[in-house]
Amino acid sequence: MKIRFLVLSGILIASFASFWVYGNSVIAIGERESRWILQDMWGSSYFYARMEGLNEHERINLLSLREGSSKNQELIDHVMKNKCTDDSVRCYLVMTSASNLLIDAREYDSGLRGMVEAIDRVSAKEFCPIAYESAIIRYKIEVMSSKDSWSARRSSIDVLEKIKANNGFIKSLKTETCTRLAREKPKFFHEYTMLVAHIMVFAGGDYAKAGAYIDSLRNNEG
């Protein structure tokens, strides 16, 4: 009986040790594989940002990126009441918010046309396209969610590799203007990183560990 107890105790201790080692290995890999976006892109100070220091159209734009946004009446009302066609950054954000709502509602063609039209109108010389890039990643998440796991994995890896190589999917986000905006309006970059983490989960492997690591940081926010 004593021998059996010792054997069972040994198995439990070995199992616990294995899980502990594996868990720490996953965390280490996740931390390492997420450095390119958590540290190298704009520094690490932006990540824990909250909805503070934002004006109304900026706040609405960030909320429009979230799943189910097309059913949020506050967002719909704001977009409808603030329709615009000028070349200001404000109008660009309003139009991009409208595109995000359309994408959430799976009106993909209209949503994509709207976001491209919005960014093409902006006349500001110093301009960071973080809202545009976030809208694209939100669209990619919607499309991947409807694919089989193999296709979603392949597509997501392609997206991540392109972002890592170019510092953005279409437009670079690693610029002086974006770094300055990350200090002034860090919530835009926090939300973008969470969208990229979602793509990482689709990719599997070390990317998925990085995505889980990023998500754990959000869940551990004070």
Side-chain angles (χ1 to χ4, degrees):
M1 189 72 177
K2 187 175 182 180
I3 294 175
R4 181 180 296 178
F5 174 77
L6 290 173
V7 170
L8 289 173
S9 297
I11 292 172
L12 288 173
I13 292 170
S15 298
F16 175 80
S18 296
F19 280 119
W20 185 85
V21 170
Y22 176 75
N24 279 274
S25 173
V26 169
I27 292 170
I29 292 170
E31 189 276 334
R32 184 188 70 220
E33 295 300 319
S34 62
R35 286 177 195 165
W36 66 273
I37 191 165
L38 285 178
Q39 298 178 27
D40 298 342
M41 287 283 274
W42 315 286
S44 58
S45 60
Y46 74 91
F47 186 74
Y48 295 106
R50 301 181 185 277
M51 289 281 194
E52 298 171 353
L54 302 174
N55 58 43
E56 188 65 2
H57 58 273
E58 291 170 334
R59 185 181 73 86
I60 292 294
N61 180 263
L62 289 170
L63 291 176
S64 72
L65 289 166
R66 299 182 180 180
E67 186 176 356
S69 62
S70 61
K71 298 179 177 65
N72 186 320
Q73 196 60 47
E74 177 194 11
L75 305 185
I76 296 169
D77 291 345
H78 181 88
V79 167
M80 295 300 293
K81 290 176 182 176
N82 291 275
K83 286 183 177 180
C84 54
T85 57
D86 60 77
D87 61 359
S88 67
V89 173
R90 177 188 177 280
C91 189
Y92 148 76
L93 287 172
V94 171
M95 290 181 67
T96 306
S97 297
S99 293
N100 290 335
L101 299 184
L102 289 168
I103 288 169
D104 185 72
R106 299 191 175 184
E107 297 288 341
Y108 299 140
D109 291 342
S110 298
L112 290 170
R113 280 198 304 271
M115 73 171 72
V116 171
E117 182 180 352
I119 199 166
D120 284 347
R121 285 183 179 180
V122 180
S123 61
K125 292 181 179 179
E126 292 190 359
F127 171 68
C128 177
I130 184 69
Y132 174 68
E133 285 286 310
S134 295
I136 291 172
I137 300 304
R138 180 70 183 87
Y139 164 69
K140 292 292 184 181
I141 290 171
E142 280 289 320
V143 172
M144 289 175 196
S145 297
S146 64
K147 291 185 175 183
D148 62 82
S149 58
W150 188 91
S151 298
R153 183 173 186 273
R154 185 64 261 168
S155 296
S156 60
I157 290 172
D158 289 343
V159 169
L160 292 167
E161 288 179 349
K162 189 169 183 179
I163 293 172
K164 289 179 74 174
N166 303 319
N167 300 312
F169 187 73
I170 292 178
K171 296 182 178 293
S172 175
L173 296 175
K174 194 174 182 180
T175 64
E176 289 185 12
T177 304
C178 286
T179 300
R180 185 166 60 251
L181 185 63
R183 292 194 299 266
E184 297 170 356
K185 309 281 185 179
K187 189 60 176 175
F188 279 101
F189 299 83
H190 177 115
E191 292 296 322
Y192 174 80
T193 300
M194 294 312 305
L195 291 170
V196 172
H198 199 141
I199 297 284
M200 289 175 171
V201 173
F202 284 120
D206 287 351
Y207 272 130
K209 293 171 185 175
Y213 176 77
I214 292 171
D215 195 57
S216 73
L217 295 180
R218 179 188 63 175
N219 292 338
N220 289 332
E221 285 184 62

